[in-house]
Amino acid sequence: MSGSAENMASSAYEDPSRREVVLDLTTASRMLPLVQRIVADILHSRQLLARLLPEQDILDRQRRTLDWPGRQRRYQLQEDVSATEQKMQDALAELEVLGLILEDGDSGQIGFPTLVNDSRAYFSWKPGEEGLLFWHFASEAQRRPIPASWFKASNVRLVGKS
């Protein structure tokens, strides 16, 4: 067990000068508090956009018949949507700089690139989990529990154990 994988989604532009990130369990575990805050920002932005965009769409369709308060609201929504989208893009860029991937935007599941038996894999975390407890090969979606021996070898405390 050790760490690596692509740091971008398969549809993302690949920068040939950018090296692949390979994380071990210790490093990935130390990154988790920062990643938790970044993911919270992403999920909050997604929730806010889910509320703002339908209202903006309605007001955009009615823009020719809106009274002044309706127009003001439409302008405010445009600013709020733009600011929220920018905040989400900034958070996604932070993940990219760290070499991590957002595996599932709805749940906030994050992949920490690693290598397992010389194959690309990810340590996997999502909100609600106390720590890094799962991993999966890059070609698989099924998350597997991280073996206790990996925690022992990396000197990382297994959550719930002393």
Side-chain angles (χ1 to χ4, degrees), residues 97-109:
V97 165
L98 294 171
L100 309 181
I101 64 160
L102 179 62
E103 295 181 314
D104 182 347
D106 291 335
S107 70
Q109 182 175 318

Side-chain angles (χ1 to χ4, degrees), residues 114-127:
T114 193
L115 283 176
V116 175
N117 298 329
D118 293 325
S119 295
R120 290 186 315 149
Y122 295 96
F123 295 116
S124 181
W125 173 85
K126 62 184 173 181

